[in-house]
Amino acid sequence: MDHMPEGKWLPRKVKPKMLREVVRKWQRFMLENSGWNALYMENHDQGRPVSRYASDEPDLRMISAKMLAAHLALQSGTVFVYQGQELGMVNVPRDWGTEKYKDIEMLNHWAE
């Protein structure tokens, strides 16, 4: 949802309406088909939700994290919280150079 069709290395700005439509689709589908959602907003291959969907600016970080936690918790399904998400962690600073990263997939991508 937050990347272009060509792949995750080409980010796209997420509009609240996009997120609302995805959530509505799956909440409705699972309820109408006796299903149960697995609710998550990140995993090891995705950036932190506060940085992706809200604001990681210092004055908005806490309220953004609380808003996203409420967004997940108030849906029907089982919430999965990944390491650091409970603390409202954000992505690494944008000004970091690639030499600070230890992610092999990212390093291989930028080496191409």
Side-chain angles (χ1 to χ4, degrees):
M1 180 172 68
D2 62 340
H3 57 79
M4 301 300 269
E6 296 83 13
K8 70 181 183 179
W9 301 109
L10 297 170
R12 171 173 55 189
K13 184 75 174 161
V14 175
K15 296 180 181 174
K17 184 177 181 179
M18 294 166 64
L19 182 58
R20 183 186 72 206
E21 293 303 319
V22 169
V23 170
R24 179 184 293 162
K25 171 186 172 182
W26 287 106
Q27 286 289 298
R28 182 174 292 138
F29 178 85
M30 290 298 195
L31 290 171
E32 290 172 354
N33 292 283
S34 301
W36 191 252
N37 276 308
L39 305 170
Y40 64 94
M41 293 192 80
E42 69 176 84
N43 67 32
H44 65 276
D45 287 328
Q46 298 167 323
R48 300 290 183 171
V50 173
S51 298
R52 290 169 65 202
Y53 301 117
S55 176
D56 54 12
E57 295 296 321
D59 58 331
L60 296 173
R61 179 179 174 181
M62 186 183 339
I63 194 76
S64 294
K66 288 179 179 182
M67 174 193 66
L68 293 171
H71 165 76
L72 273 182
L74 295 172
Q75 293 180 55
S76 176
T78 301
V79 176
F80 290 88
V81 177
Y82 288 87
Q83 295 176 340
Q85 191 176 359
E86 75 282 6
L87 304 172
M89 288 184 74
V90 297
N91 289 340
V92 297
R94 288 180 174 88
D95 60 352
W96 274 21
T98 56
E99 71 280 354
K100 292 199 177 201
Y101 287 85
K102 305 296 182 211
D103 182 83
I104 194 69
E105 183 182 22
M106 188 282 304
L107 293 171
N108 287 339
H109 170 76
W110 288 111
E112 292 177 358

